[in-house]
Amino acid sequence: MATASVASHSDAAHDHHDHEHHDNFITKYIFSTDHKMIGKQFLVTGIFWAIIGGLLSLIFRLQLGFPDMSLEWLRPILGGWITPDGALDPEFYLALVTMHGTIMVFFVLTAGLSGTFSNFLIPLQIGARDMASGFMNMLSYWFFFVSGVIMFISLFIETGPAGGGWVVYPPLSALEQAIPGSGLGMTLWLIAMTFFIASSLLGGINYITTVINLRTKGMSFSRLPLTIWAFFLTAVIGLLSFPVLFSAALLLVFDRSFGTSFYLSDIYIGGEALPNTGGSPVLYQHLFWFLGHPEVYIVLLPALGITSEVIATNARKPIFGYKAMIISMLGITILSFVVWAHHMFVSGMNPFLGSIFMFLTLIIAIPSAVKVFNYLTTLWRGNLIFTPGMLFSIGLVSFFISGGLTGIFLGNSAIDIQLHDTYFVVAHFHLVMGSASFFGLMAGVYHWFPKMFGRMMDARLGYIHFWATFIGVYLVFFPMHYIGIAGFPRRYYSWTGFEFTNMYTDLNLFVSVAAILTFAAQLIFLFNFFYSMYKGRVATLNPWRSNTLEWTTPLHPQHGNWPGEIPSVYRWPYDYSKPGAAEDYIPQTVPLSATPESNLPHEQELVKLEKEIIADEEAVLVANESTNS
């Protein structure tokens, strides 16, 4: 009954689109309620922010790699943030690090990745006309857009953008008089993040509702592609954790503007005691990291879901351990909420409490390892097709392994206390979270570009982009592990005055050069992306010979996705290279009764039930036609 009601709801929605949906330029490209267009809006906005975030990182890498070089040539761009002697202003260095982290974590890897592919793929892969609420979907994007505008404005104000690290710990962020970056820039940061949180919550509610209620006939949870499982669980994590970040930001606003002392106590500035008593900055850390660590998986899970789909499709093999993959994602979802304090081992935490969080942190390696082993087993002896999307997916698995292994070091509280404020941590999270998720984003763009724009990206440029980026990422972050183990501190603007760090001048120079070249390689992607959008080779309906529902839509699907009835689903999405089958893929829309030569014993038992359902559907269609006539 549930599936029947879903189908009728979808048909009603389709009738509405047929008879009432006449788009003009504004409603089609700007204030669109079509999930596909909103996904593209998130993608292009995310690409813009990736360029900004990457450029900011290049500026502070110039400072780190060439500490004695004059940056006078940047004065036309940075103005007063270049000191009279041609050096980067130390306050601006901290602001650059702050904005780079904020932009990359939230605007690129959260909105740019999850916002793009959750919006674009969920209705297409579950068989729905659109999201549960197109209006809420539109609001979600525009809240994100407003958030981005406010954050962008903060880059140009006189006192500079927020400058307390991307985690904006108090008391530095709570006292406007502390540093220039704690003034108006911090206020704008908090306002922008409020809009961003509202955007994430609106999107999350929509994704969850759509997956639960709008699946097409036959699309049970056990037949969902792993992409949808990943987007669904990501939305659940965001819905439970982002409100906690909002509460942390709200209390910070109170401390900054209304004289409260949630995070402040016993503070002296310039020898003068402030009146604040009774607060604790550690409270903010607990609230922030209650979002901060689930945020790692808000960023990672969509990338892992995309990788599951791309690897299975291009290995021409069923994904290994489908149920184990779902259970591991459920395990990650639950455990992500109980490991946040491993970011706080150096905060004076009770060692017994630290041992509990250490235990929970190391446990989360188990479901992560399940996913890695299943990816490797899917690749093993597969008929591999090395498309650019496939290469980026394999690159993600590589980063997930190498970056995940260093996480085992940092999960141990005794070791973390030594490594926490070193470049070892920077290298770890840039590999396992930043680079892995970025490669998932790239895999998704290369794989679903034909469905987004009806054209193919240039594969040769894709290969160059992959190898330059893959090698570049390792050249940037691998050396950081070594200087981190040696005690090289992070967040230092100038380090040449210390004898123990001076020996790493050459490695810092090497890392900076590698970072510049890796960023330059992204220009290849930008050209390929925008050129192929208009001039690329016209795609076929199903260029990767994939099984999922999105490839059953027209080349340029209109608002509503399918011109006629929404197709029903009869099987899971990973019937690749099935013994006895005529081809090496069987789409989800092909009934089991149509493939008796390849059916497994338990599928043969389902054929009789399937025939009864098809007969009922045909009877309903005949009745509807006679009624209409």
Side-chain angles (χ1 to χ4, degrees), residues 132-321:
S133 171
F135 179 72
M136 274 178 62
N137 216 15
M138 178 187 73
L139 278 184
S140 173
Y141 172 73
W142 283 104
F143 270 115
F144 167 52
F145 185 84
V146 170
S147 169
V149 168
I150 296 169
M151 197 71 80
F152 191 71
I153 289 171
S154 78
L155 295 172
F156 300 97
I157 61 175
E158 186 178 358
T159 54
W166 78 277
V167 294
V168 296
Y169 279 174
L172 193 61
S173 60
L175 300 169
E176 295 189 24
Q177 65 270 44
I179 58 171
S182 294
L184 178 59
M186 185 63 68
T187 301
L188 292 175
W189 188 95
L190 289 165
I191 295 170
M193 287 308 299
T194 302
F195 278 99
F196 180 82
I197 292 166
S199 164
S200 298
L201 294 176
L202 285 169
I205 292 169
N206 225 355
Y207 306 153
I208 293 168
T209 307
T210 304
V211 172
I212 291 175
N213 292 319
L214 295 186
R215 287 167 287 122
T216 189
K217 198 172 296 184
M219 181 64 83
S220 63
F221 271 91
S222 62
R223 289 175 176 170
L224 286 176
L226 288 172
T227 41
I228 302 302
W229 272 106
F231 301 148
F232 177 74
L233 293 173
T234 299
V236 170
I237 296 173
L239 204 59
L240 295 175
S241 59
F242 269 113
V244 181
L245 178 64
F246 177 74
S247 68
L250 187 64
L251 297 183
L252 188 56
V253 170
F254 286 165
D255 276 12
R256 286 172 56 82
S257 304
F258 301 106
T260 57
S261 300
F262 291 105
Y263 305 136
L264 300 174
S265 185
D266 306 318
I267 305 288
Y268 290 81
I269 293 186
E272 180 184 348
L274 299 185
N276 306 86
T277 57
S280 171
V282 176
L283 169 62
Y284 175 87
Q285 292 189 31
H286 279 292
L287 293 173
F288 179 88
W289 287 115
F290 192 83
L291 167 277
H293 198 77
E295 171 67 19
V296 171
Y297 296 102
I298 289 172
V299 165
L300 256 177
L301 278 180
L304 294 173
I306 288 168
T307 295
S308 301
E309 181 66 28
V310 174
I311 284 181
T313 300
N314 290 290
R316 312 313 291 169
K317 272 180 69 178
I319 193 78
F320 185 86

Side-chain angles (χ1 to χ4, degrees), residues 84-102:
D85 57 354
L88 191 67
D89 187 279
E91 300 287 359
F92 191 61
Y93 174 84
L94 182 58
L96 287 173
V97 175
T98 302
M99 297 306 290
H100 167 73
T102 301

Side-chain angles (χ1 to χ4, degrees), residues 346-389:
V346 295
S347 67
M349 179 186 297
N350 183 302
F352 176 72
L353 187 60
S355 67
I356 293 172
F357 279 102
M358 181 181 78
F359 175 70
L360 292 168
T361 299
L362 296 178
I363 283 179
I364 208 169
I366 296 172
S368 301
V370 167
K371 296 193 75 64
V372 167
F373 286 127
N374 284 3
Y375 289 140
L376 296 178
T377 316
T378 304
L379 290 167
W380 177 252
R381 302 187 73 176
N383 184 17
L384 303 183
I385 303 170
F386 291 109
T387 65

